[in-house]
Amino acid sequence: MGHRDRIDHLVDRLAEMPAVEKVEPLAEGICDRISIIQRRLMLRHKRSLSRHDITWRDWQVLTNLMLGGDTPRSPSELASTLMVTTGAMTNVLDRLEEAGLTRRPRNPADRRSVIVEATDAGVSLWYAAVNELGAQEAAVVSALTASEQGQLNGLLRKLLAGFGDGDNWSEDTA
């Protein structure tokens, strides 16, 4: 097994506490490590995105536009997907539009509403950022062999499926 780390020591101390009855040390260690990895990745990602002059929420909007296919996205659909208020989404869209990364033309299917589109500058920025973030993630997982990466990916997929909500990611985007 490898060397013991800080999490191992914290879990040991937790297990020694007489009133702690429902904590499984192995589960605690797994969940704590996943949580720390997620926080560290998020911090790296946010630092990278700030060098592109966008926030994490800006990134989420651009990613939704880029990966949404040909389906036009309304501001209210984006707000719902990202689980923010429509007012908060308006602030994000105003900032992105001011930066020249998105635009809000009239919806051709319903001229009473608008859709959100990434501009050429928004598309270019997204590709630059996604490649930078992807390189960061690859560097992190390079601590594992290709075989270990595949094994971990499969195990995490199985663990995620244990939540039983299929592909419902809506609560994960807030």
Side-chain angles (χ1 to χ4, degrees):
M1 179 169 108
H3 74 284
R4 291 176 50 82
D5 63 11
R6 182 174 172 220
I7 300 292
D8 292 315
H9 297 291
L10 292 173
V11 170
D12 288 347
R13 290 193 59 206
L14 187 63
E16 293 169 0
M17 296 178 166
V20 175
E21 301 170 0
K22 302 287 185 186
V23 174
E24 289 290 332
L26 195 55
E28 186 70 21
I30 290 167
C31 292
D32 286 356
R33 285 181 181 90
I34 289 171
S35 179
I36 290 169
I37 291 166
Q38 187 275 334
R39 284 195 309 266
R40 288 182 177 180
L41 279 172
M42 181 64 73
L43 286 171
R44 285 183 183 188
H45 288 354
K46 285 181 177 181
R47 279 194 297 266
S48 291
L49 294 173
S50 72
R51 288 192 294 274
H52 293 278
D53 294 321
I54 60 172
T55 66
W56 180 253
R57 187 66 73 198
D58 298 340
W59 169 252
Q60 288 180 303
V61 169
L62 288 172
T63 297
N64 268 269
L65 295 175
M66 294 299 296
L67 300 180
D70 294 333
T71 305
R73 304 298 303 270
S74 72
S76 60
E77 289 169 331
L78 288 167
S80 176
T81 298
L82 299 179
M83 294 187 65
V84 297
T85 65
T86 54
M89 183 54 59
T90 297
N91 290 336
V92 172
L93 294 177
D94 287 348
R95 185 173 56 246
L96 288 169
E97 198 163 14
E98 187 176 307
L101 302 174
T102 62
R103 63 179 157 262
R104 289 177 270 190
R106 291 271 173 222
N107 184 343
D110 179 2
R111 298 203 32 88
R112 296 170 295 167
S113 63
V114 297
I115 56 174
V116 181
E117 298 175 338
T119 62
D120 290 343
V123 170
S124 294
L125 182 142
W126 186 84
Y127 277 115
V130 78
N131 284 312
E132 187 175 326
L133 300 183
Q136 287 176 358
E137 292 165 354
V140 168
V141 301
S142 72
L144 304 173
T145 66
S147 175
E148 289 169 332
Q149 289 176 30
Q151 185 179 18
L152 179 60
N153 197 40
L155 291 170
L156 290 172
R157 183 182 299 111
K158 186 174 181 179
L159 188 60
L160 188 57
F163 282 94
D165 58 0
D167 286 333
N168 179 9
W169 298 92
S170 61
E171 68 184 47
D172 301 324
T173 58

